[in-house]
Amino acid sequence: MYSTIVIGAGQAGLSAAYHLAKRGVDFLVLDANPEPGGAWQNRWDTLTLGATHHIHPLPDFPLEVQDSSRPASQVVKEYYGEYERRFSLPVRHSVTVSSVQRVEDHFEVYADQRYTARTIINATGTWTNPFWPVYPGHFDGLQVHTNGFISPAQFAGKRVLVVGGGASATQFIVQLREAGIDTLWSTRQAPDWREVTGTEWGLEVERQVNERTRAGLPPKSVVGTTGLLLNERMRAGIESGALVSRGKIARLESDAVLFTDGSREHIDAILWATGFRHAHRHLRDLKLHTAAGGIVMADDGVSTTMPGIFFVGYGASASTLGATRAGRKAALAASKYLANAT
């Protein structure tokens, strides 16, 4: 039996692993991806390091200055892989956890085999659980979600409807337009553009997210809390008309979209940049979710309904900065729990 099993080897999971190792905890990390890199290894090659908001470093291992034109997926894959090796972290890749069950005073984890542990740190993120909205009607053309995007070449010669109000949608539109591809943009609400200065903004965002998780409410989408960050590239897209939303979809047709304003537009493809939901299906037997769909937990990721399980990469810790801090908090909380249980 392990003292702790960490599920997921992304930013949050590796941070937790580092701090568990530092405290001499007997642990194992199970990760569904075939190689290091977490969800980053699945990102499209046109998402360069310079186009990301920011990749925060893991504990005690600075991220060296990199060529901003390199794909972020390559940079992070190399960085996470070196991190696992440098600190001799016990990570098993290509291991998908199907369920976790509570049995008396420990957890049983079902994957390629049955594992047992006294505590669980869940760091599974969202990438494997894309959200596909449903609208009246039926569209016959190409449909791709964010996690299936490879490059603008997928949409060559097509008129593309990009759906979603987050940063990914705006980045896709800019990329597609730069490749000479015609686009339309649909959002449920008017885009919430914000110019951000100072550190107070980030603290306020974290406060809002923690308030929801303490109440057992599911976290809002990232853009629902942060808004869209307005930079020069985005400003140029607004001025050109590319980043002007047509509003909500009323209905889909075989080769067209009808908007709620009554207008109809021919389209050849839909790119669904509609976000993700937290990948917690493997925890369903623990019955942690509230009627509202959230998981009640304290600000440090400790489940308030089931002792011994801790969450990182959920709520306020979903960003790479928040995930690094949350990994440390969860490792400290798990160590304290283990010490008090002996």
Side-chain angles (χ1 to χ4, degrees):
M1 180 184 294
Y2 293 94
S3 294
T4 303
I5 286 180
V6 180
I7 305 175
Q11 186 97 11
L14 291 180
S15 175
Y18 169 86
H19 288 288
L20 289 170
K22 193 173 180 181
R23 285 156 182 79
V25 176
D26 174 36
F27 73 98
L28 177 67
V29 183
L30 304 178
D31 185 67
N33 291 295
E35 298 177 293
W40 282 97
Q41 66 191 274
N42 303 309
R43 302 293 174 91
W44 49 99
D45 285 347
T46 52
L47 180 64
T48 61
L49 193 64
T52 62
H53 289 316
H54 190 63
I55 298 172
H56 291 273
L58 287 160
D60 200 27
F61 188 37
L63 178 60
E64 300 291 339
V65 175
Q66 297 280 342
D67 178 355
S68 63
S69 67
R70 291 190 67 202
S73 58
Q74 293 180 12
V75 174
V76 177
K77 180 179 176 180
E78 293 169 4
Y79 177 57
Y80 284 13
E82 179 58 29
Y83 196 80
E84 291 179 15
R85 291 187 292 272
R86 175 171 294 213
F87 296 104
S88 301
L89 300 177
V91 180
R92 293 186 187 176
H93 289 287
S94 297
V95 177
T96 300
V97 174
S98 59
S99 70
V100 178
Q101 298 179 11
R102 180 80 177 191
V103 180
E104 297 179 349
D105 63 346
H106 67 276
F107 295 92
E108 294 191 348
V109 178
Y110 293 86
D112 58 328
Q113 64 185 67
R114 182 174 64 88
Y115 301 88
T116 58
R118 295 169 62 197
T119 61
I120 298 290
I121 295 179
N122 191 79
T124 46
T126 63
W127 187 256
T128 59
N129 193 21
F131 173 65
W132 295 77
V134 177
Y135 289 98
H138 179 75
F139 177 69
D140 292 332
L142 174 67
Q143 298 188 57
V144 176
H145 197 277
T146 296
N147 67 353
F149 181 85
I150 299 171
S151 76
Q154 288 173 278
F155 303 94
K158 299 183 185 296
R159 193 176 197 217
V160 183
L161 172 66
V162 180
V163 184
S168 293
T170 62
Q171 291 168 4
F172 287 146
I173 291 168
V174 170
Q175 283 188 64
L176 292 170
R177 286 292 183 109
E178 288 175 347
I181 296 169
D182 190 16
T183 63
L184 299 168
W185 188 22
S186 172
T187 61
R188 290 181 298 174
Q189 299 176 339
D192 180 16
W193 297 103
R194 302 184 193 178
E195 294 191 70
V196 176
T197 57
T199 59
E200 292 79 7
W201 171 80
L203 294 174
E204 175 58 19
V205 166
E206 189 168 301
R207 185 197 66 75
Q208 291 180 30
V209 176
N210 282 334
E211 190 174 82
R212 289 183 64 85
T213 53
R214 283 195 300 270
L217 299 172
K220 288 183 178 180
S221 65
V222 173
V223 73
T225 306
T226 66
L228 288 167
L229 305 188
L230 187 60
N231 56 32
E232 290 307 311
R233 198 179 188 201
M234 297 298 115
R235 198 185 303 276
I238 295 170
E239 292 173 355
S240 72
L243 293 179
V244 176
S245 174
R246 295 291 298 272
K248 293 188 290 187
I249 295 171
R251 183 178 180 83
L252 296 173
E253 296 183 351
S254 61
D255 63 350
V257 56
L258 277 69
F259 295 102
T260 54
D261 65 2
S263 62
R264 180 182 183 275
E265 297 282 355
H266 166 76
I267 55 172
D268 303 298
I270 301 176
L271 178 49
W272 297 100
T274 45
F276 299 80
R277 300 294 183 264
H278 286 278
H280 288 160
R281 185 169 176 77
H282 58 291
L283 303 176
R284 60 191 179 279
D285 292 336
L286 299 179
K287 303 186 187 314
L288 298 172
H289 289 82
T290 66
I295 295 176
V296 182
M297 65 181 198
D299 292 355
D300 58 1
V302 177
S303 167
T304 58
T305 57
M306 179 168 290
I309 185 164
F310 310 88
F311 288 86
V312 291
Y314 178 80
S317 63
S319 68
T320 57
L321 174 60
T324 299
R325 292 199 309 256
R328 178 179 179 275
K329 288 181 179 180
L332 291 173
S335 300
K336 183 178 178 180
Y337 175 88
L338 291 164
N340 291 338
T342 55

